[in-house]
Amino acid sequence: MPLPSPSPPPLRFGANYVPSSGWFYGALDRAAADAVRRDFEDLAGIGLDHVRVFPIWPWIQPNRSLIRQAPIDDLLGLIDLAAEFELSVSVDLIQGHLSSFDFLPSWVLTWHRRSLFTDPEVRAGLVAYVDRLAREVATRANVFAVTLGNEVNNLYPANPTTPEASTAWAAELIDAARAAAPRLLTLHSLYDATWYEPGHPFHPADNVELGDLTTVHSWVFNGVSALDGPLGPATVTHADYLVELAAATSADPARPVWLQEVGAPRPDIPEHDAPEFVRRMLGDVIANPALWGVTWWCSHDLDRSLADFPEREYDLGLFTVDHVAKPVARELAAVIREHRRPTGRRPALVCEVDLRAEPERRDEVAPGSAFHTAWVRRRRTGPLAIVTAARAGDTAYLDARGIDTVLPPC
C-alpha cells in the first residue's frame, strides 16, 4: 500500500517591492516613510504576507573598502515599516540587475574592469558586503531570508565566468551570509537560462544545491507565449513546469521551490487576458506540493515619466503609481482567499535528461522541446510531476514526492 501523500505547508504569497514613487531611485532621496507605508498598506490589503526588497549595491558600497551606513539605515527603516503591516521581508543583496538595467559600482568598471565572478579582489569586496548587510538585516525579526542577488546570471556575459567559477562564487557568498545571519534562509537567484540554455555557465545544480531552498523565475516571454498564446496550456503551466523541473532536479525530494518571480507581461499577456492568466497559472502551480510560495513581480507600476525602460517594465505592478488596485491584484487576492492545497498523489512523466549531471542537454527540456510538449499535453488532465529516469524506480523517492504512477517518456 502506498504511503499517504505528504501534507505541504501553507503557501506564502507576496510581492517584489517596487516603490510607487520614483522606482528604486527614491532611495537616493531617502524616500518618505508615509509613501512607503501607503505602498505596504496596498499589499497587506490584498492578503499578501511578505515582500522581497532590493537595496542597490553600488549606492551602499561605492568603493571596495567603503560600506556606507546611511543607506543601510534606510533599508532597516523600510523593513521596520513592513513590520507595521505584518509583512515579513526577504532582502536581496547584490543589485546587480533590476528591470533590465545593471547597477554596478565604479570599482568593477572603467579602467578597473574585472569580473564579479572571477576576480579575487572583487570577490573579497563582495564577501565583506554580504557579511555586513546580512548581519544588519538579521537584527530585524520580520526578515526571514536573504538572496545573494536578483538574477545574478544576468550579469554574464559582461562579467566573464565559467561553470566552476560561478559555483565557487555563489558558494563563497552563501557561506558568508550563513555565518553572518544563521537564522535566515540563504538563497541563490537565477533566471531561466540556467534551466534552458546548454552553454550557460550557471548550472541547474547550483540552483538546487546551493542555498536553503530553490528559487525559480517564470517569465512567459522566454518563448512559451509564442507557442500557444496568452492563455494556452504551455503559457499558463510554465510556472508549474519550472517548479517541477526544479523539484525533479534536486537530490532532496523534500526541497521546497519558491516561485520568486512571476508576472503578466505585456504584450505576451494582453491586459484583458491578465486576470484569467493569473487565475489559471496560479491554479496550476498551487497544485504542486513542492511549491513554497509565490511572489508577484511586482508591487507597483513604473512611473512613465522615467525614461528608457523596456516597454513591458512599466505595467507589471499589482497597483498603479496612484495606488489603484489593478484587475490582476483583485484576482490574486481572490486566489489567496480561496486557495486550498491539494493532498492527493499524482503521476509523473519520466525525463531522460538529468539536468544536474547533463547541463549540456538543457535544450531538450526548453520550451517547445519534445519533452516540454509532452508534459504540457499530459498536464491538461491534472497535476503532473517530473521524475528523472534514474529515480523512476526509487519507491522511497517517489513516495516522498507524492508520485503514484510513472509514465514513460513520449
Side-chain angles (χ1 to χ4, degrees):
M1 177 179 296
L3 296 174
S5 300
S7 297
L11 281 177
R12 305 288 303 273
F13 289 94
N16 292 277
Y17 178 49
V18 173
S20 63
S21 177
W23 195 66
F24 296 100
Y25 304 129
L28 293 168
D29 300 321
R30 309 195 77 166
D34 286 346
V36 176
R37 283 192 178 94
R38 180 70 186 274
D39 291 346
F40 288 160
E41 182 180 21
D42 291 341
L43 302 179
I46 61 170
L48 302 186
D49 62 63
H50 70 274
V51 289
R52 180 175 168 227
V53 302
F54 304 91
I56 307 298
W57 170 34
W59 302 345
I60 300 175
Q61 191 181 26
N63 181 276
R64 185 164 58 88
S65 64
L66 172 63
I67 298 175
R68 299 175 58 238
Q69 186 62 40
I72 294 175
D73 290 341
D74 290 344
L75 171 61
L76 297 177
L78 182 78
I79 293 167
D80 291 341
L81 292 173
E84 292 181 13
F85 296 90
E86 299 184 348
L87 293 168
S88 59
V89 178
S90 174
V91 181
D92 271 38
L93 300 177
I94 303 164
Q95 272 61 250
H97 178 85
L98 281 172
S99 300
S100 302
F101 283 101
D102 292 345
F103 291 84
L104 302 176
S106 58
W107 51 274
V108 301
L109 299 172
T110 60
W111 67 274
H112 300 282
R113 186 88 204 183
R114 45 197 177 181
S115 172
L116 274 65
F117 304 115
T118 60
D119 185 272
E121 288 189 329
V122 175
R123 284 175 56 163
L126 279 170
V127 167
Y129 169 81
V130 166
D131 174 83
R132 173 77 169 273
L133 208 55
R135 287 180 191 278
E136 294 273 6
V137 301
T139 63
R140 293 329 197 236
N142 60 322
V143 173
F144 69 91
V146 291
T147 301
L148 294 188
N150 180 48
E151 298 184 347
V152 293
N153 52 333
N154 262 309
L155 300 174
Y156 166 85
N159 291 269
T161 189
T162 65
E164 296 76 18
S166 301
T167 301
W169 177 89
E172 180 178 40
L173 294 180
I174 284 171
D175 286 347
R178 281 178 170 160
R183 76 167 180 85
L184 302 183
L185 296 172
T186 304
L187 314 172
H188 188 26
S189 163
L190 301 167
Y191 83 98
D192 62 15
T194 198
W195 295 104
Y196 297 148
E197 293 183 14
H200 193 69
F202 291 78
H203 284 181
D206 291 351
N207 220 350
V208 301
E209 293 177 357
L210 299 176
D212 296 311
L213 52 78
T214 300
T215 67
V216 294
H217 294 186
S218 175
W219 289 107
V220 298
F221 51 70
N222 66 0
V224 289
S225 65
L227 296 174
D228 56 15
L231 298 177
T235 304
V236 299
T237 63
H238 182 251
D240 186 42
Y241 182 69
L242 261 180
V243 169
E244 194 52 45
L245 272 183
T249 303
S250 175
D252 178 3
R255 183 176 170 94
V257 183
W258 180 3
L259 182 56
Q260 195 181 46
E261 285 186 21
V262 67
R266 301 178 194 172
D268 303 78
I269 311 296
E271 185 176 9
H272 63 272
D273 287 326
E276 185 64 20
F277 169 78
V278 172
R279 169 73 53 174
R280 294 190 195 181
M281 178 274 295
L282 289 177
D284 285 340
V285 76
I286 284 169
N288 198 312
L291 185 68
W292 177 91
V294 178
T295 309
W296 192 261
W297 188 281
C298 55
S299 65
H300 293 80
D301 284 346
L302 175 60
D303 193 325
R304 286 186 173 273
S305 67
L306 295 173
D308 299 327
F309 287 82
E311 177 60 28
R312 66 164 51 100
E313 298 286 350
Y314 287 97
D315 298 301
L316 289 169
L318 293 166
F319 292 84
T320 69
V321 294
D322 298 319
H323 304 281
V324 175
K326 295 164 65 175
V328 290
R330 295 194 293 271
E331 197 64 45
L332 176 58
V335 170
I336 293 170
R337 289 193 304 269
E338 300 164 9
H339 87 279
R340 299 289 183 276
R341 298 212 73 174
T343 56
R345 300 173 74 80
R346 45 188 193 140
L349 186 65
V350 171
C351 181
E352 295 182 336
V353 179
D354 181 348
L355 292 171
R356 289 174 70 248
E358 303 171 300
E360 70 279 2
R361 297 179 65 186
R362 283 176 275 190
D363 57 333
E364 296 179 41
V365 301
S369 64
F371 177 78
H372 174 251
T373 301
W375 186 90
V376 169
R377 183 175 65 250
R378 290 182 182 269
R379 180 65 180 79
R380 292 186 184 194
T381 63
L384 180 65
I386 296 172
V387 63
T388 62
R391 287 293 185 88
D394 185 338
T395 302
Y397 172 85
L398 298 177
D399 282 340
R401 291 197 53 213
I403 295 169
D404 60 4
T405 306
V406 176
L407 305 172
C410 297

